[in-house]
Every structure is written in C-alpha cells, then in structure tokens.
C-alpha cells in the first residue's frame, strides 16, 4: 500500500511538467540550490527516499531559508508563489494543493 502511494506521488511529480508546461521541481531546485531529488523529498513523502534520515532536516532548513517560511507554507497549501532565482529572474511556482489526497488507491 505504501509503495503504491509513493509510486503515485513520484509519478505525479514526473507528470506535472507535461501537464503544466513548466517544471516546478526544477524551478525550485534552481531557486534553492538543492537537487531536484532533495526538493521532491522536502515537498513529498520523505520516507520514499532512503537518505531522508540523514539529509531531510538539512534539506528542509536550506529550502525554507531559500524560499522563506511563509512561501514554503503557501507552496504546501497549493498556492502560487513568486520567487527569484540566483540570476534574478522571477519564477512563479505552484504545486498541487495536496499531492497525498488520493490515498485510497
């Protein structure tokens, strides 16, 4: 059951760029300096990643410092957030409201 949920979350992250026309995980990776894998770990089901016990707290702290606590909370609620990357470009990012909502699979 847990494996199906994990697979669904990862598949939904992989399908988001095709549906939305952009790559929110890649954009957040550029803004925060974290790898896309770490961004997925921070935003999704962290237990799906073997290294989460060692790196989750540091990745979460770095992500929150980079985007701000308020922006992180808004992202997790599914609201759109405007962020600036390292080159000064403004990027608008929005994630699904609750990627774990369909747990009845």
């Amino acid at each position: 059951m847990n494996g199906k949920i994990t697979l669904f979350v990862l598949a939904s992250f992989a399908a988001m760029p095709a549906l939305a026309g952009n790559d929110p995980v890649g954009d957040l990776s550029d803004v925060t300096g974290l790898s896309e894998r770490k961004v997925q770990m921070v935003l999704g089901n962290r237990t799906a990643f073997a290294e989460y016990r060692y790196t989750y707290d540091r990745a979460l702290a770095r992500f929150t410092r980079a985007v701000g606590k308020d922006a992180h909370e808004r992202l997790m609620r599914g609201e759109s957030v405007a962020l600036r990357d390292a080159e000064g470009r403004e990027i608008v990012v929005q994630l699904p409201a609750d990627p774990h909502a369909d747990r009845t699979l």
Side-chain angles (χ1 to χ4, degrees):
M1 177 72 175
N2 202 12
K4 287 181 183 179
I5 293 169
T6 302
L7 183 60
F8 176 75
V9 170
L10 292 176
S12 66
F13 273 173
M16 280 192 317
L19 296 174
N22 61 2
D23 181 17
V25 173
D27 291 342
L28 288 169
S29 175
D30 292 341
V31 169
T32 61
L34 294 169
S35 68
E36 289 188 15
R37 182 170 171 83
K38 297 251 194 239
V39 170
Q40 289 174 340
M41 180 176 63
V42 169
L43 298 177
N45 180 6
R46 66 180 179 252
T47 58
F49 299 88
E51 71 274 15
Y52 93 91
R53 291 182 182 211
Y54 308 106
T55 63
Y56 177 77
D57 291 333
R58 286 180 289 177
L60 177 62
R62 185 171 175 185
F63 185 90
T64 305
R65 274 193 314 271
V67 300
K69 184 175 180 174
D70 182 52
H72 180 211
E73 290 172 0
R74 289 177 39 219
L75 275 171
M76 297 307 287
R77 287 193 304 261
E79 298 176 20
S80 62
V81 177
L83 303 168
R84 293 212 180 269
D85 66 2
E87 297 171 3
R89 294 177 302 200
E90 186 172 279
I91 300 171
V92 178
V93 181
Q94 184 175 8
L95 300 174
D98 187 2
H100 307 293
D102 191 13
R103 290 185 173 227
T104 59
L105 296 177

